[in-house]
Amino acid sequence: MLGEHQASNAAVALEALYAAGFEMNYDVVLSGLSKATHPGRFEIISPNEDQSIILDIAHNPHATRSLVASLRKHFPKQKPALIFGAAGSKEIDPMLEMLEEVAGEIHFTPINSPRSTQTDTLFEHTPEQGKERCRQHSNVKAALSACEKAPLVLVTGSAFLVGETKALLEESEHLASSQ
């Protein structure tokens, strides 16, 4: 699993199992961890040979900080096109501050939820130095289309957004949320 936070999450889970008295075989644990995946957490999809899309459900400042650290480690010289959408209850100011520093173009889209933050609100909360790189879209499909020539795209801000994006990329059904 890519992402700096994944190693610490796995360590906490293993420590909890150990504390609960579970017997663990080192080779079995190592084998399991080497095969483990966490869809939507620094998940990289390559829809074609010219583009990689990173999907990450970071939806709070702590998770965004981990995402930015992973992005800097694995893609140190690239500034991805950012597709961002969030629920209205989220702390978007610190998230956008961190993401603006590592992003090239910034694309806002509403998430498929009644709690979605509108794109004009996202724009208003963008740090001043990033506003000239912002575009607003009516939906994630339009945002993806605007990024079709970007070699690296980062989709983040909401599990709803990542789920809808993944369904579009895989051409599978996506059900709108009632939340």
Side-chain angles (χ1 to χ4, degrees), residues 139-158:
N139 57 52
V140 69
K141 189 172 185 177
L144 283 168
S145 180
C147 296
E148 67 185 356
K149 295 198 186 302
L152 184 63
V153 178
L154 171 61
V155 180
T156 193
S158 164

Side-chain angles (χ1 to χ4, degrees), residues 47 82 90 130-131 148:
L82 170 67
K90 300 302 174 182
K131 288 190 175 183
E148 67 185 356

Side-chain angles (χ1 to χ4, degrees), residues 45-159:
I45 296 177
S46 296
N48 59 59
E49 61 188 39
D50 298 323
Q51 186 178 60
S52 293
I53 299 175
I54 302 168
L55 304 174
D56 197 294
I57 61 171
H59 61 280
N60 60 45
H62 178 75
T64 301
R65 193 171 299 108
S66 294
L67 166 60
V68 168
S70 295
L71 187 66
R72 286 182 169 146
K73 178 181 179 180
H74 295 287
F75 298 94
K77 297 181 182 186
Q78 294 185 9
K79 287 200 171 253
L82 170 67
I83 298 176
F84 184 87
S89 61
K90 300 302 174 182
E91 296 177 65
I92 58 174
D93 287 338
M95 294 168 64
L96 288 173
E97 284 177 27
M98 288 181 268
L99 292 167
E100 183 277 327
E101 290 179 6
V102 296
E105 302 170 358
I106 300 170
H107 299 266
F108 293 129
T109 182
I111 61 172
N112 200 345
S113 164
R115 297 183 301 129
S116 180
T117 301
Q118 297 305 308
T119 59
D120 56 339
T121 302
L122 295 173
F123 177 79
E124 290 169 10
H125 287 268
T126 301
E128 282 302 317
Q129 66 272 18
K131 288 190 175 183
E132 74 279 356
R133 293 178 281 137
C134 292
R135 291 181 57 195
Q136 298 179 48
H137 302 279
S138 59
N139 57 52
V140 69
K141 189 172 185 177
L144 283 168
S145 180
C147 296
E148 67 185 356
K149 295 198 186 302
L152 184 63
V153 178
L154 171 61
V155 180
T156 193
S158 164

